[in-house]
């Protein structure tokens, strides 16, 4: 999803059904959006839209938590 303006799609694959959290943070580590909160998702590929039209340009991080799995990636918003 790099760079994007103003929307992007975050894709991820789950090996097993899990409770999923997907959160977006700014460079200061402040939470700016919760895209998925404690949602049970089946195994397979999933897509979540992130609309950043109300955010300023810059680097953001998204964090996916699914069971014991945690991953964080960066994305760049350019307006």
């Amino acid at each position: 999803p790099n760079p994007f303006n103003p929307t992007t799609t975050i894709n991820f694959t789950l090996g097993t059904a899990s409770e999923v959290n997907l959160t977006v943070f700014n460079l200061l580590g402040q939470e700016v959006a919760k895209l998925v909160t404690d949602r049970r998702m089946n195994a397979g590929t999933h897509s979540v839209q992130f609309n950043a039209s109300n955010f300023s340009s810059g680097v953001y991080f998204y964090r996916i938590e699914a069971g014991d799995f945690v991953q964080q990636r960066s994305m760049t918003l350019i307006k």
Side-chain angles (χ1 to χ4, degrees):
N2 285 310
F4 71 99
N5 176 25
T7 61
T8 189
T9 302
I10 299 170
N11 299 306
F12 58 95
T13 303
L14 299 176
T16 59
S18 303
E19 295 287 328
V20 175
N21 289 294
L22 177 55
T23 310
V24 179
F25 300 90
N26 64 18
L27 271 176
L28 299 175
Q30 299 166 323
E31 182 181 297
V32 296
K34 281 189 169 266
L35 304 179
V36 178
T37 305
D38 295 328
R39 186 183 334 159
R40 181 90 175 155
M41 295 182 142
N42 294 325
T45 302
H46 302 274
S47 298
V48 177
Q49 293 287 320
F50 174 49
N51 184 342
S53 58
N54 294 327
F55 294 91
S56 59
S57 295
V59 176
Y60 293 86
F61 299 93
Y62 64 91
R63 179 182 173 106
I64 299 172
E65 300 173 63
D68 294 333
F69 176 79
V70 177
Q71 184 176 56
Q72 185 167 301
R73 297 280 170 110
S74 66
M75 55 187 170
T76 304
L77 170 61
I78 299 177
K79 288 191 172 183

